[in-house]
Each structure stands twice: as structure tokens, then as C-alpha cells.
Amino acid sequence: MKILLSILCLFVGFSSVADAKDAPVQITKNGTKVNVTIAGKPFATYHTGSDLPKPFFSPVRAADGTIITRSLVDPEDHPHHKGIWVAVDEVNEVDFWAEKGKIKNSEVKVIKAAGNPAVMQVTNQWLGEDGKPIVTETTVISIYANRLLTYDITFKAGDKPVVFEDTKEGLFGIRLPNGMREKEEGSVENNTGIKGTKDNWGKPTEWIDYYGPLHGKLYGVTLMDSPQNFKKSRYHVRNYGLFTISPFGDHSYTNKKSPADPKHLKAGGTFNLKYGLYIHEGNTQQGKVAAAYQQFLKVTGSKPADKKQTAKPQPKAKKVSAAPKKPATPAKKVAAAPYEEKSAPVKPIPETEPVSNPDCNCCPAPVQRRRGLFRLRRNR
């Protein structure tokens, strides 16, 4: 009997090792880097070095190994657009978006090293000019075998009140490589079929897909909003490859037509946001983006949309006499929000160039000082 139990335990032990080895997604910590593999092949690297202005994933690869994030080597514009990242402008007047304020990683905890999903939790301190955290970001990142990433982000204020101001510069997103960009041969489409950055910029919607060619093959990235968030988010989607989602910026995204709606936190207060990012091959339909969104809703605890329920006819209301209505006045046309940044022509860079220096020799910019009422406009 003892021999049988020993053999059984040995078999279970070997099975566990085999299961871990053959797990679809694996997370491995290596110093200041966290390496992620899918099906045994490199997928993404998360950088947490203290010399960096913020943590980020770069490079990030499609299933065939093609890098679908812009190279960190000699970026032609906006060097603060690094891979996949979380940052936003104007938190207690500190500009974390443009890396004027430092986001310092304090911990990476691997919750589930191997599986589908594999899961890690990162803790990042958003520092003020006094070196103390204005807010602490705790994000649980779940990575699935089909290259769906879910970000469960919780912000906690430090020992002082915090204000996330109204801004278009944020919050969670990716910088796509040349080639995939709309200004070249890329395409943008949302869940209702609306196409183009012009008509999707600054608009709230369930998801937006951005796809384009690299080396003659189509690849796409989808950003997804969650109905669990405290408000609907809007998309900072540009024809030059910037692609982010944020709940901050109603005023900015509507050309000042909507009132500013800053997010206030009391000292020690918290709030949570959930977002999805999905990497696929082919266009929106070929990449099965709609199905991936339903997966995102399911794994984050949101109820998937019930098409039958929404299509259910409502009972007819009884007819009642009413005073004749005045003809409705036609709605005034609102100027469209700006959607293309004006910049000098730039030279293309290699779309899939390997990151020869993953930390890109970025020296943290000095913490931004408090600014008065009349502030110079920054180049976004």
C-alpha cells in the first residue's frame, strides 16, 4: 500500500511539473524585468527599473513573433509613448503622462506563474515633488493564451486629497509601430461599425479595434472599456499610432462642449478601473474581436450583453390626449473634436526592430513644479 501511495504521489508530482511546463502562459521574474511567454515563445517584457520614468511592457509580440509595439530605439516623436503603459496628465498638477513626474515600481507579485491566465500584481507609486506618493497604483494584470490582457487598476490616495484633472492625455494604452498606423495603411473600427480615428476620437464606446499591415500581414490591437467603471471612458486614438483609453477628459475630448469632470479622492480614498487589451491577427472580424470582448466581460465579472433582452418589445402605452407639440428646433451642429496632432513630417522607423536597449537609457525627468493659472501649452 505504501509503495502504491509513493508511486501515486510521484506521478502527481511529475504531472504538476509537466502541467506548469506546458501551461499556455508563463510569467518569470528576472531582476527588474518580468518576462511573459505564451506557448513557450516570448510574448512581452515588463520593465520596472528604478532608472525608468515609469513601468511598461515592451516589446509585445503577436502569435508569430512580430513586434506590435513601436521600437524604443530613436522614436521619431513622443518618446513617452512606451509600449503598453499606465499614466495620465494632471494628478495634483503633476504631469505623469509626459514623464515630468516619476512612477516608481515598488513591487511585482506573481499571483499565478503559469496557466490560462497567468496573473501578476504590480504596485506603482506616483511620486510628488517631495518624493512621497500622491497615489499608489495597484494593478492586477491577467494574461490569456489568446493574447487578451485585462488590467484591474486600483488607485489609492496618499495622506493628502488627490485630484485627477480633466485631460485627454491618458490613461491606459499602447503605441503602435509604423505601418499599422492609420496615416499609412491602418484602419480603426469600433463595436458599432464606426470607422476612422476622426469619428472615434474622444467618443465613449465598448471597444475600438486598430489594425494594419506589417510585412504584408494584418495585425490588430483592441482596447476595451468595462461597464463596471465609475463612468464611461473615451479613446485617445490617433492616426499616427497612439491608442489609449481614459475616464478623464469629458471637457477636453468634446472641444470644451461638456463640463470638466475631475475625479476627487479624499486622503486614503480609492477607486477602481478595469480595461482590456487584445492582440490579434487579421482585421476586426478575422480577429474575432467581438468574441474577445465577451470574454473580457466574463472574466472581469461583467454581465455580457443580452441581445435577446435588448430586442424584446416593450408593452404599448395607452393613448392619452395631449396638447399639440411645438415642432422641435433642429439641433445645433457641434464642431468636431480635434483628431490629428500637427507635427512636422517624420521618417519611418523599423516596425519590428528588436529593442536593443530595453530600458532605452531614459533618465527620469525632473518632477514638474506646481503651475499657475497661465500655463504654457505642452507638446502632446
Side-chain angles (χ1 to χ4, degrees):
M1 187 66 179
K2 289 182 179 180
I3 296 175
L4 180 61
L5 288 175
S6 299
I7 294 173
L8 181 60
C9 291
L10 188 62
F11 174 76
V12 171
F14 279 129
S15 296
S16 299
V17 172
D19 289 343
K21 183 179 179 181
D22 298 334
V25 187
Q26 294 190 18
I27 297 175
T28 306
K29 292 174 67 174
N30 182 16
T32 61
K33 300 177 184 178
V34 182
N35 296 315
V36 183
T37 61
I38 296 180
K41 298 178 180 179
F43 168 58
T45 299
Y46 190 72
H47 300 270
T48 65
S50 59
D51 58 329
L52 297 173
K54 64 175 178 262
F56 56 89
F57 272 114
S58 181
V60 182
R61 295 174 171 86
D64 63 1
T66 299
I67 296 174
I68 51 82
T69 47
R70 183 181 69 167
S71 173
L72 301 182
V73 179
D74 299 325
E76 76 272 36
D77 62 55
H78 304 84
H80 48 279
H81 298 169
K82 293 181 171 71
I84 297 174
W85 74 96
V86 176
V88 70
D89 194 2
E90 303 293 342
V91 182
N92 281 15
E93 296 190 345
V94 177
D95 186 350
F96 292 100
W97 173 263
E99 300 178 346
K100 302 295 178 63
K102 183 178 179 63
I103 302 176
K104 177 184 177 182
N105 175 262
S106 61
E107 183 184 22
V108 176
K109 181 180 180 181
V110 178
I111 297 175
K112 186 178 179 183
N116 187 20
V119 184
M120 68 184 195
Q121 177 180 287
V122 300
T123 303
N124 300 321
Q125 296 178 331
W126 297 37
L127 305 179
E129 61 182 35
D130 59 359
K132 296 180 180 179
I134 297 174
V135 294
T136 297
E137 168 212 340
T138 302
T139 299
V140 176
I141 304 172
S142 301
I143 305 170
Y144 292 81
N146 65 342
R147 284 170 165 72
L148 171 69
L149 286 75
T150 65
Y151 271 57
D152 189 330
I153 307 167
T154 299
F155 287 107
K156 182 176 182 179
D159 55 7
K160 297 179 181 179
V162 175
V163 181
F164 289 78
E165 296 289 357
D166 189 294
T167 175
K168 64 182 175 66
E169 312 295 358
L171 164 76
F172 166 61
I174 185 171
R175 178 64 190 259
L176 300 174
N178 297 8
M180 287 184 67
R181 306 183 300 181
E182 187 190 51
K183 67 187 297 183
E184 293 165 282
E185 298 181 71
S187 300
V188 173
E189 180 178 342
N190 78 359
N191 58 287
T192 65
I194 295 175
K195 298 182 179 181
T197 55
K198 180 178 180 179
D199 293 325
N200 278 293
W201 186 87
K203 305 296 188 344
T205 191
E206 291 179 352
W207 53 259
I208 292 179
D209 188 42
Y210 201 140
Y211 64 89
L214 293 174
H215 305 304
K217 185 176 179 180
L218 281 181
Y219 302 90
V221 176
T222 313
L223 286 179
M224 306 172 179
D225 194 14
S226 170
Q228 297 183 65
N229 293 338
F230 72 93
K231 64 182 294 189
K232 291 183 178 180
S233 297
R234 298 174 185 268
Y235 296 79
H236 194 11
V237 54
R238 297 295 206 183
N239 69 350
Y240 63 87
L242 175 64
F243 188 24
T244 70
I245 184 171
S246 173
F248 314 112
D250 289 349
H251 189 61
S252 300
Y253 281 123
T254 59
N255 234 2
K256 303 181 180 180
K257 300 300 179 182
S258 296
D261 186 21
K263 177 68 175 177
H264 292 263
L265 284 179
K266 297 179 179 179
T270 65
F271 74 98
N272 176 263
L273 294 165
K274 292 180 175 67
Y275 294 116
L277 187 150
Y278 172 58
I279 298 164
H280 62 88
E281 295 183 4
N283 60 25
T284 305
Q285 289 71 37
Q286 293 166 340
K288 300 179 180 179
V289 172
Y293 178 70
Q294 294 302 315
Q295 177 189 355
F296 165 69
L297 293 180
K298 182 178 179 180
V299 299
T300 56
S302 300
K303 187 177 180 181
D306 188 346
K307 294 182 180 180
K308 293 182 180 180
Q309 184 176 355
T310 55
K312 186 178 180 180
Q314 298 297 320
K316 295 182 179 179
K318 294 181 179 180
K319 293 183 178 181
V320 294
S321 57
K325 295 181 180 180
K326 296 181 180 180
T329 55
K332 295 181 179 180
K333 291 184 178 181
V334 178
Y339 68 94
E340 181 174 3
E341 295 184 4
K342 296 180 180 179
S343 59
V346 295
K347 296 179 180 179
I349 59 173
E351 306 96 321
T352 60
E353 182 176 351
V355 180
S356 59
N357 181 5
D359 291 344
C360 70
N361 293 323
C362 293
C363 296
V367 175
Q368 179 171 305
R369 303 293 176 182
R370 294 180 67 89
R371 293 165 285 185
L373 178 62
F374 302 98
R375 296 175 291 183
L376 294 175
R377 295 293 297 171
R378 293 183 300 276
N379 177 23
R380 305 299 189 187

